[in-house]
């Protein structure tokens, strides 16, 4: 009996993956990445997802790693874990916890952030009526700008508030992206420090899961990012993605506002009559703002509510455990997604909002190898360093909330060194001179340029997007009081205080 079409496709996919990992996977680039801070490659944990999932794999060098991949059975993906304090080993189930300090354990790892578009409840990524449970690759591609927004905001806050300056971003291959923070201080963070940063950055949602909490809104305003949030929502989600083009999406947006005032009883109806999504958004924002100004005692809270709903669309939604867990594994760069065969390639900061996932190198395509080389995946491994985002702080730059990351790094056993003598104050200058980032220009300029490109995007892409807005509760929620306490604890830990 002849094999079915599905069987033939699976066989061809397995052959492409086997050949890619055995011969073409850029192990040299990967070895450079994970040892660039001086860590021994043999102390890094690897995991292989193939015929079975195998953790605690090690390799002495890039050539040995290639051999490990070549010998793996039905390999579909490679995952990266932490750097161990000694030899990589599986914890013994009967180990005496009193002697754990004497055992090799996870000690260091890059600070990682996972953006998964399926975590955004307003995005409809389903495959349509024929297969509503499956993900549509076209829908994931159309929703990519949401991931780009999250990456831009994450990088900006991590640099401005924590002083991190080296970043590397990878497309995941289907429905998201990974952001790596490569600084030595980030490598040295323990789980408590990583959790504090994740809580500082993550979106806090209300009990109904339709908008950000008031405490999160205040948090973003203190960071000085609310104007940027509005600009991204208007230009990218409304302008580029058509988030309010359809009547159902406008209705959902108005319902999320929940403005139970008689002056707003026809807001949904009036918004539905507007000629396009941009016009509907302009009307909603104008009416809400004017009513709040006209009746500040009764309706002054309308503006805050609008900000909370917009934040729910724009602010990053993190996989908390990926960021917190020192022992948590993540898919390695340049892995080929087993369902799409797209390679997880690095991205420039300037292309985050305009990147087209369908252009990623895809196994089996004629130009896949050349495209991989162009994206830092050259066989000799010397191209990935060109894709690192280098960010330097402006001279004497002041930030709304200055977090001392050194307080988040676990103390060593040795006594702390004496602080150096304080330098004399600098003479006043007429104007501070900002140092430009090494690679891609100022973050604000990058955002402005990307927004301008988004405004000029093709109208057809806006109308074919699948970014619908069903309301689905997914996770346990916190009350307003619990959310405020959670945010306060994260802030205390970020400043090195014991709660």
């Amino acid at each position: 009996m002849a094999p079915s079409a599905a069987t033939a496709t699976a066989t061809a996919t397995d052959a492409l993956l086997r050949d890619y990992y055995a011969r073409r996977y850029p192990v040299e680039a990967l070895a450079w990445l994970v040892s660039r801070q001086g860590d021994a490659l043999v102390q890094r944990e690897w995991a292989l997802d193939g015929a079975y999932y195998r953790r605690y794999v090690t390799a002495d060098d890039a050539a040995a790693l290639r051999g490990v991949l070549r010998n793996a059975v039905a390999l579909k993906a490679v995952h990266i874990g932490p750097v161990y304090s000694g030899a990589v080993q599986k914890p013994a189930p009967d180990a005496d916890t009193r002697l754990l300090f004497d055992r090799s354990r996870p000690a260091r790892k890059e600070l990682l952030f996972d953006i998964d578009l399926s975590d955004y409840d307003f995005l409809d990524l389903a495959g349509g009526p024929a297969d509503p449970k499956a993900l549509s690759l076209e829908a994931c591609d159309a929703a990519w700008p949401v991931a780009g927004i999250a990456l831009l905001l994450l990088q900006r806050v991590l640099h401005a508030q924590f002083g991190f300056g080296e970043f590397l971003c990878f497309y995941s291959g289907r429905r998201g992206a990974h952001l790596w923070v490569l600084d030595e201080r980030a490598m040295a963070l323990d789980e408590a420090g990583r959790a504090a940063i994740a809580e500082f950055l993550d979106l806090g949602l209300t009990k109904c899961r339709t908008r950000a909490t008031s405490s999160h809104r205040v948090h973003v305003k203190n960071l000085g990012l609310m104007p940027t949030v509005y600009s991204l929502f208007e230009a990218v989600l409304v302008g580029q993605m058509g988030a309010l083009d359809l009547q159902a999406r406008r209705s959902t947006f108005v319902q999320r506002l929940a403005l139970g005032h008689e002056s707003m009883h026809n807001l949904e109806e009036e918004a539905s009559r507007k000629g396009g999504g941009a016009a509907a958004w302009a009307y909603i924002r104008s009416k809400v703002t004017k009513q709040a100004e006209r009746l500040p005692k009764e309706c002054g809270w309308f503006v805050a509510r609008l900000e909370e709903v917009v934040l729910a669309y724009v602010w990053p939604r993190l996989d908390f455990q990926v960021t917190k867990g020192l022992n948590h594994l993540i898919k390695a760069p340049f892995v080929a997604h087993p369902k799409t065969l797209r390679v997880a390639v690095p991205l420039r900061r300037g292309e985050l909002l305009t990147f087209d996932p369908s252009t990623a190198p895809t196994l089996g395509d004629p130009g896949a190898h050349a495209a991989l080389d162009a994206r830092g995946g050259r066989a000799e491994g010397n191209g990935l360093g060109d894709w690192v985002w280098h960010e330097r702080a402006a001279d004497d730059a002041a930030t709304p909330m200055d977090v001392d990351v050194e307080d988040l790094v676990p103390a060593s056993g040795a006594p702390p060194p004496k602080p150096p003598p304080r330098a004399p104050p600098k003479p006043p200058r007429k104007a501070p001179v900002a140092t430009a980032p090494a690679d891609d220009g100022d973050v604000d300029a990058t955002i402005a340029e990307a927004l301008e490109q988004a405004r000029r995007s093709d109208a057809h892409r806006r109308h074919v997007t699948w970014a619908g807005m069903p309301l689905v509760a997914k996770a346990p929620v916190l009350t307003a009081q619990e959310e405020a306490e959670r945010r306060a604890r994260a802030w205390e830990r970020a400043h090195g205080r014991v709660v």
Side-chain angles (χ1 to χ4, degrees):
M1 180 181 295
S4 65
T7 302
T9 301
T11 302
T13 297
D14 291 344
L16 286 170
L17 290 171
R18 183 169 56 253
D19 178 73
Y20 175 63
Y21 289 117
R23 298 194 307 111
R24 192 62 184 82
Y25 187 68
V27 292
E28 294 286 352
L30 206 59
W32 170 85
L33 173 62
V34 300
S35 58
R36 63 188 298 273
Q37 294 287 6
D39 300 298
L41 185 63
V42 72
Q43 291 179 251
R44 176 76 69 157
E45 178 190 354
W46 304 87
L48 307 179
D49 186 2
Y52 57 93
Y53 194 81
R54 180 185 171 197
R55 283 195 63 173
Y56 309 106
V57 177
T58 60
D60 292 335
D61 51 30
L65 180 59
R66 172 76 70 194
V68 169
L69 302 184
R70 184 182 295 114
N71 295 329
V73 179
L75 182 60
K76 292 182 173 59
V78 182
H79 293 79
I80 295 181
V83 177
Y84 277 66
S85 58
V88 176
Q89 58 183 346
K90 181 179 180 179
D94 57 346
D96 189 340
T97 56
R98 293 171 297 179
L99 301 177
L100 286 182
F101 69 91
D102 216 14
R103 295 177 56 85
S104 177
R105 60 192 181 278
R108 294 161 50 80
K109 192 178 72 170
E110 298 79 5
L111 182 61
L112 304 173
F113 297 88
D114 180 14
I115 301 298
D116 190 334
L117 291 174
S118 61
D119 292 335
Y120 292 77
D121 61 308
F122 61 86
L123 294 175
D124 182 7
L125 306 178
D131 193 359
K133 293 185 178 181
L135 284 177
S136 165
L137 184 59
E138 293 76 14
C140 294
D141 290 352
W144 166 261
V146 175
I149 288 173
L151 294 167
L152 274 176
L153 291 174
L154 281 175
Q155 188 270 339
R156 183 163 184 167
V157 177
L158 286 166
H159 171 63
Q161 303 303 321
F162 296 93
F164 295 130
E166 292 188 324
F167 305 88
L168 196 54
C169 176
F170 294 92
Y171 167 54
S172 70
R174 183 164 66 159
R175 63 174 190 267
H178 300 147
L179 181 66
W180 292 48
V181 184
L182 306 178
D183 298 63
E184 171 60 28
R185 291 183 299 163
M187 292 282 297
L189 287 170
D190 64 358
E191 288 204 351
R194 294 167 190 267
I197 292 176
E199 290 192 23
F200 186 85
L201 292 167
D202 202 10
L203 172 66
L205 289 172
T206 59
K207 190 174 182 179
C208 61
R209 308 290 294 178
T210 59
R211 57 184 180 268
T213 61
S214 59
S215 60
H216 185 77
R217 173 180 57 82
V218 173
H219 176 59
V220 175
K221 291 176 79 82
N222 287 337
L223 294 176
L225 289 176
M226 190 57 71
T228 301
V229 168
Y230 264 118
S231 296
L232 291 168
F233 177 76
E234 181 175 338
V236 181
L237 273 87
V238 176
Q240 179 180 347
M241 296 178 60
L244 299 179
D245 282 356
L246 300 180
Q247 302 293 347
R249 296 175 182 172
R250 299 180 199 178
S251 298
T252 301
F253 185 86
V254 174
Q255 290 166 11
R256 285 174 176 244
L257 289 172
L259 301 175
H261 191 269
E262 58 182 8
S263 63
M264 295 287 127
H265 73 280
N266 64 341
L267 180 62
E268 182 177 339
E269 179 183 353
E270 291 297 327
S272 67
R273 295 177 181 175
K274 302 303 174 183
W281 161 245
Y283 173 78
I284 293 171
R285 186 176 184 181
S286 175
K287 184 167 184 177
V288 168
T289 303
K290 289 180 179 179
Q291 187 64 18
E293 293 173 350
R294 191 172 70 87
L295 298 173
K297 291 185 178 180
E298 293 182 43
C299 308
W301 57 274
F302 284 6
V303 174
R305 178 61 58 83
L306 182 62
E307 292 174 346
E308 291 163 6
V309 172
V310 171
L311 278 169
Y313 281 76
V314 174
W315 198 257
R317 304 190 182 197
L318 307 179
D319 186 327
F320 188 85
Q321 295 303 322
V322 170
T323 302
K324 171 191 172 184
L326 189 57
N327 199 30
H328 200 289
L329 276 64
I330 194 168
K331 280 188 177 179
F334 300 110
V335 163
H337 195 286
K339 293 187 177 180
T340 67
L341 295 181
R342 292 179 180 176
V343 178
V345 290
L347 304 175
R348 299 284 187 199
R349 183 174 52 198
E351 67 176 332
L352 291 181
L353 298 183
T354 56
F355 173 66
D356 184 356
S358 65
T359 63
T362 304
L363 300 188
D365 286 356
H369 290 174
L372 182 60
D373 289 346
R375 286 273 179 181
R378 294 196 292 269
E380 58 272 20
N382 60 356
L384 186 56
D386 298 335
W387 292 81
V388 176
W389 309 347
H390 296 280
E391 187 76 67
R392 292 198 302 269
D395 293 343
D396 301 329
T399 55
M401 297 180 183
D402 191 10
V403 180
D404 187 358
V405 182
E406 299 298 339
D407 292 339
L408 301 177
V409 179
S412 63
K418 295 182 179 180
R422 185 180 298 273
K426 297 180 180 179
R429 296 176 297 177
K430 292 183 179 180
V433 179
T435 304
D439 277 349
D440 296 298
D442 183 73
V443 176
D444 289 322
T446 300
I447 293 178
E449 180 182 356
L451 290 176
E452 183 59 30
Q453 294 177 7
R455 292 188 183 98
R456 299 195 302 265
S457 64
D458 180 56
H460 174 70
R461 181 172 180 179
R462 290 191 286 108
H463 290 292
V464 300
T465 180
W466 288 59
M469 304 172 191
L471 302 179
V472 180
K474 291 185 177 181
V477 297
L478 302 177
T479 64
Q481 179 64 26
E482 291 172 335
E483 170 63 20
E485 293 174 355
R486 181 186 73 87
R487 185 74 60 182
R489 289 194 299 270
W491 182 247
E492 293 291 336
R493 285 199 298 272
H495 283 80
R497 300 173 187 154
V498 179
V499 179

